[in-house]
């Protein structure tokens, strides 16, 4: 039974540089990279050495703690570099791509007639399992546990985010194959949230429970939808999957190929012609950055959206899970007396000095300046205004900071992920790193409770 989701608490951040609904193929990247840091709490064990030849879909490394979880090459080519950091931790694996991809053939597998065991084995063998995340802990799903439900958010409300209705258009066949396969891995439901009134490719699909979502950001966050539909209690596990990863899973089942194709949106005020690009996981950002052109050299390139993404070099590589690249001005200049004058060019929930509330439809050209220094928490009540989950955000943050496991459990840590606190971090007058605090708290729970 479907249930509509409408939230009132939140904050829609309107930025300049929204992408046009046009799709181009990015020039083929010369190199591709995979960063093990994209896979939280995974320690890689290499299968291929430097100089080894790869097909798209060949295993590069597996998880040290669970050999069944494999990570595969997005392209065919030669593994050229394994970069290591402190204590010989692998930081990046670089592949020099062939001119044209050759694919490892995993064989066609019908989602309708296959058993849950066969589907699970295929996802593990092909390297598609890392696309499945679990809550609690916001990590790659445990292979030994069955989820209560599976959640997919096909409605993206983050600033300058990828419009899934556009980027998934024409992929209904792959989406259907993926959700049918996943529906066999749970006794519960596959919940899919779409924008209310939108022309979503998920409309008309079977084996899903469809929900219309409306409201300001973070209405599109899967954590918000979990909280409003079926919160996670102690002892329960749910899975979450990004819509574009469903396409890769569906194509694997239908064709037997691991096709790591991504449709990313390049957006931001510093991009001359922001638009959508067809590329691959781990490609060089420069291939599409300089194709669209940058207005300035002093910019922040973010693999992901401006609230939760990771800073990369313009010559760096796309993150494994990223479907958005945002480019905004680098906020490294000092604003004289910025704290003591009326402000018209910044967005804020407060009416004290900023006047953004007078122009609700205005689009802003914001930079990375935090406009303040790190200080102790100040109780203002502003977190609750932008936090729609049915829990106490400030108390959860403080429980994480003092490592109070009992309090963290009681306050609802089992169902949150760092991205659920991106808005509270944005509006925080104390400039506290909310997402990192939550990540540290989840890691502590995973270590101590498991």
């Amino acid at each position: 039974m479907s249930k509509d989701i409408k939230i009132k608490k939140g904050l829609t951040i309107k930025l300049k540089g929204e992408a046009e609904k046009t799709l181009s193929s990015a020039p083929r990247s010369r190199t591709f990279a995979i960063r093990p840091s994209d896979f939280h709490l995974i320690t890689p064990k290499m299968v291929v050495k430097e100089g080894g030849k790869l097909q798209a879909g060949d295993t590069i490394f597996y998880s040290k703690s669970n050999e069944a979880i494999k990570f595969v090459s997005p392209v065919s080519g030669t593994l050229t570099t394994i970069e290591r950091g402190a204590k010989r931790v692998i930081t990046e694996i670089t592949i020099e791509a062939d001119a044209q991809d050759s694919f490892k053939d995993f064989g066609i597998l019908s989602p309708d007639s296959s058993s849950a065991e066969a589907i699970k084995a295929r996802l593990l063998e092909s390297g598609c399992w890392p696309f499945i995340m679990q809550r609690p802990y916001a990590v790659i799903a445990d292979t030994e546990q069955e989820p209560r439900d599976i959640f997919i958010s096909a409605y993206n409300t983050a600033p300058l985010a990828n419009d899934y209705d556009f980027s998934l258009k024409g992929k209904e066949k792959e989406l259907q194959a993926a959700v049918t396969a996943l529906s066999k891995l749970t006794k519960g439901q596959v919940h899919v949230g779409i924008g209310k009134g939108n022309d979503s490719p998920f409309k008309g699909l079977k084996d899903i429970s469809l929900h219309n979502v409306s409201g300001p950001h973070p209405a599109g966050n899967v954590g918000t939808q979990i909280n409003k539909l079926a919160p996670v209690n102690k002892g329960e596990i749910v899975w979450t999957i990004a819509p574009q990863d469903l396409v890769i899973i569906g194509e694997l089942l239908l064709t037997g190929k691991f096709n790591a194709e991504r449709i990313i949106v390049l957006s931001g005020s510093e991009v001359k012609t922001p638009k959508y690009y067809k590329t691959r996981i781990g490609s060089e950002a420069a291939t599409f950055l300089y194709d669209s052109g940058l207005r300035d050299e002093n910019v922040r390139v973010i693999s992901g959206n401006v609230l939760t993404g990771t800073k990369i070099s313009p010559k760096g590589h796309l993150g494994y899970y990223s479907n958005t690249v945002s480019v905004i001005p680098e906020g490294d200049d000092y604003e004289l007396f910025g704290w003591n004058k009326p402000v018209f060019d910044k967005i804020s929930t407060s009416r004290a000095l900023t006047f953004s509330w007078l122009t609700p439809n205005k689009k802003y050209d914001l930079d990375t300046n935090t406009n303040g220094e790190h200080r102790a928490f100040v109780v203002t009540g502003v977190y609750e205004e932008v936090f729609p989950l049915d829990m106490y955000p400030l108390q959860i943050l403080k429980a994480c900071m003092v490592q109070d496991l009992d309090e963290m459990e009681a306050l609802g840590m089992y169902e949150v992920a760092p991205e659920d606190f991106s808005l509270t971090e944005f509006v925080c007058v104390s400039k506290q790193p909310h997402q990192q605090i939550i990540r540290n708290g989840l890691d502590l729970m995973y270590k101590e409770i498991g």
Side-chain angles (χ1 to χ4, degrees):
M1 182 177 178
S2 64
K3 175 184 176 183
D4 287 355
I5 302 169
K6 182 178 181 179
I7 70 165
K8 295 181 179 179
K9 292 183 178 181
L11 178 65
T12 297
I13 303 171
K14 297 180 179 180
L15 301 181
K16 293 181 179 179
E18 186 176 348
E20 297 179 5
K21 298 295 193 300
T22 57
L23 179 62
S24 300
S25 292
R28 184 167 173 83
S29 182
R30 184 181 62 84
T31 62
F32 290 77
I34 294 178
R35 293 186 291 271
S37 59
D38 287 342
F39 316 111
H40 194 66
L41 298 182
I42 293 292
T43 301
K45 291 290 289 183
M46 295 300 299
V47 173
V48 182
K49 298 180 180 179
E50 289 184 356
K53 294 291 292 182
L54 292 164
Q55 286 185 306
D58 278 341
T59 301
I60 300 175
F61 62 90
Y62 59 84
S63 170
K64 183 178 180 180
S65 60
N66 187 346
E67 294 185 15
I69 302 177
K70 300 176 181 179
F71 301 82
V72 302
S73 176
V75 293
S76 61
T78 304
L79 195 157
T80 55
T81 310
I82 302 174
E83 294 185 12
R84 296 180 182 270
K87 299 182 179 178
R88 293 188 57 77
V89 171
I90 298 173
T91 56
E92 188 169 274
I93 298 159
T94 306
I95 301 164
E96 186 173 325
D98 295 336
Q100 192 170 357
D101 285 323
S102 60
F103 293 87
K104 180 178 180 179
D105 187 5
F106 292 98
I108 296 172
L109 188 69
S110 170
D112 292 304
S113 58
S114 299
S115 66
E117 291 74 19
I119 291 169
K120 182 176 179 180
R122 181 58 52 86
L123 294 178
L124 288 166
E125 175 193 13
S126 63
C128 283
W129 192 266
F131 293 134
I132 305 173
M133 309 299 289
Q134 76 164 46
R135 297 197 186 194
Y137 311 127
V139 294
I140 292 173
D142 190 328
T143 59
E144 300 302 320
Q145 294 183 295
E146 182 179 315
R148 185 203 69 196
D149 295 293
I150 298 174
F151 290 85
I152 300 157
S153 175
Y155 181 46
N156 205 340
T157 54
L160 303 176
N162 196 311
D163 184 346
Y164 294 136
D165 296 342
F166 175 78
S167 59
L168 296 176
K169 189 179 296 183
K171 297 294 184 180
E172 289 83 358
K173 188 177 179 181
E174 289 84 357
L175 292 171
Q176 182 63 78
V179 296
T180 297
L182 291 170
S183 69
K184 296 190 173 184
L185 302 182
T186 176
K187 293 184 175 68
Q189 299 184 66
V190 178
H191 296 278
V192 179
I194 63 172
K196 187 175 182 179
N198 290 7
D199 186 20
S200 172
F202 283 91
K203 284 185 176 179
L205 299 190
K206 61 179 183 178
D207 300 319
I208 63 173
S209 181
L210 202 64
H211 308 277
N212 293 307
V213 183
S214 60
H217 186 65
N221 280 7
V222 71
T224 303
Q225 296 171 26
I226 293 171
N227 182 264
K228 300 304 178 185
L229 291 171
V232 182
N233 299 310
K234 184 176 182 179
E236 295 179 336
I237 286 179
V238 300
W239 289 353
T240 66
I241 309 171
Q244 287 203 353
D245 298 336
L246 289 175
V247 175
I248 298 176
I249 293 173
E251 189 165 348
L252 169 81
L253 298 172
L254 296 174
T255 67
K257 296 178 181 179
F258 179 86
N259 184 7
E261 190 175 274
R262 274 268 194 272
I263 293 180
I264 64 106
V265 60
L266 176 62
S267 55
S269 60
E270 293 303 297
V271 182
K272 290 181 179 178
T273 55
K275 58 183 176 180
Y276 288 75
Y277 281 98
K278 186 182 294 185
T279 184
R280 288 185 174 276
I281 290 173
S283 65
E284 292 175 275
T287 57
F288 43 83
L289 278 175
Y290 297 116
D291 183 72
S292 277
L294 299 179
R295 300 185 188 279
D296 200 315
E297 292 184 0
N298 190 29
V299 297
R300 175 77 62 90
V301 180
I302 303 167
S303 180
N305 68 63
V306 295
L307 294 176
T308 63
T310 303
K311 177 183 176 181
I312 61 172
S313 161
K315 296 182 180 179
H317 295 81
L318 192 65
Y320 196 84
Y321 296 104
S322 296
N323 56 50
T324 300
V325 174
S326 312
V327 187
I328 59 177
E330 186 66 77
D332 52 5
D333 56 322
Y334 178 73
E335 186 177 0
L336 185 64
F337 297 120
W339 54 273
N340 195 28
K341 63 181 181 182
V343 178
F344 295 92
D345 58 351
K346 295 183 176 67
I347 188 171
S348 173
T349 56
S350 169
R351 297 191 178 189
L353 288 174
T354 60
F355 291 86
S356 59
W357 56 276
L358 292 173
T359 53
N361 295 319
K362 180 180 178 179
K363 293 185 177 180
Y364 294 86
D365 184 9
L366 302 183
D367 58 27
T368 62
N369 198 317
T370 58
N371 300 297
E373 298 177 347
H374 183 278
R375 60 183 76 89
F377 272 117
V378 178
V379 180
T380 62
V382 70
Y383 302 155
E384 288 76 10
E385 293 179 11
V386 299
F387 191 76
L389 277 64
D390 188 20
M391 55 184 69
Y392 300 105
L394 179 60
Q395 286 81 350
I396 290 178
L397 289 164
K398 289 185 174 181
C400 290
M401 293 177 76
V402 299
Q403 300 186 352
D404 188 336
L405 290 171
D406 291 336
E407 191 72 6
M408 289 156 66
E409 277 190 321
L411 289 169
M413 274 290 285
Y414 284 115
E415 67 176 279
V416 301
E419 67 171 14
D420 296 320
F421 287 78
S422 60
L423 270 183
T424 62
E425 183 174 311
F426 176 76
V427 302
C428 182
V429 297
S430 303
K431 313 304 174 185
Q432 290 277 355
H434 294 205
Q435 295 181 78
Q436 188 58 52
I437 292 170
I438 294 297
R439 182 71 270 172
N440 294 341
L442 290 170
D443 292 348
L444 177 67
M445 292 183 73
Y446 185 83
K447 178 182 177 181
E448 298 295 332
I449 301 173

